[in-house]
Amino acid sequence: MHTPCSTPLELMRSRYEAFVKEDWDYIVETSIKQKIQDFKDINSTEWLKLDVLNAYDDIVEFKAYYRENAKIYVLHEKSSFVKVDGLWKYLDGELFNSKIERNETCPCGSTKKFKKCCA
Ligand SMILES: [Zn+2]
């Protein structure tokens, strides 16, 4: 059981945890548009790291790093949330075409630069 989230940022973090655990019921329950069918055939993704870049009003901008087929990618999204009957829910998101910088610390958890690690 989850306790209701009091801010969009809190909800965003709990939804990230739900993606890690593949808890699609929670994802659907906390969103306006997403349906359980959207996740039925999803490939297992290994989520590595969440960086929140910005959170204000009903917006949370984040980068989430994940590994798929031995390659690391970044999902950069600005999410919008809306309050329904006193509960925050995910509305939708704007995606950015971001890449992992070669000189940034590798998202895999090593302390090496990305270019010298998983790039
Ligand atoms: Zn690495």
Side-chain angles (χ1 to χ4, degrees):
M1 278 302 290
H2 298 266
T3 48
C5 296
S6 56
T7 62
L9 178 58
E10 214 177 288
L11 177 59
M12 195 270 135
R13 288 190 188 280
S14 78
R15 283 171 52 87
Y16 175 79
E17 291 304 320
F19 271 98
V20 171
K21 291 182 284 192
E22 304 189 3
D23 181 358
W24 309 129
D25 289 337
Y26 183 73
I27 296 295
V28 170
E29 184 188 308
T30 54
S31 84
I32 300 284
K33 298 173 188 168
Q34 289 170 314
K35 305 259 182 297
I36 200 77
Q37 300 89 275
D38 299 344
F39 301 102
K40 262 191 174 159
D41 302 319
I42 204 166
N43 289 323
S44 245
T45 298
E46 185 192 352
W47 294 94
L48 301 169
K49 190 165 84 127
L50 172 69
D51 281 343
V52 173
L53 307 177
N54 223 333
Y56 54 92
D57 303 330
D58 53 358
I59 300 289
V60 180
E61 184 179 352
F62 65 90
K63 282 182 177 178
Y65 297 86
Y66 62 97
R67 182 154 38 206
E68 233 171 50
N69 302 322
K71 280 195 75 182
I72 295 183
Y73 302 91
V74 61
L75 171 75
H76 182 183
E77 182 180 316
K78 196 189 259 189
S79 302
S80 300
F81 295 84
V82 63
K83 216 171 196 178
V84 181
D85 296 331
L87 292 176
W88 283 106
K89 291 188 187 249
Y90 174 75
L91 180 61
D92 53 22
E94 180 188 348
L95 290 173
F96 296 89
N97 199 358
S98 293
K99 288 202 169 68
I100 302 169
E101 298 296 330
R102 292 179 53 75
N103 280 321
E104 77 180 75
T105 307
C106 191
C108 77
S110 77
T111 50
K112 294 177 197 161
K113 287 185 177 176
F114 181 58
K115 67 181 176 191
K116 292 191 172 167
C117 192
C118 297

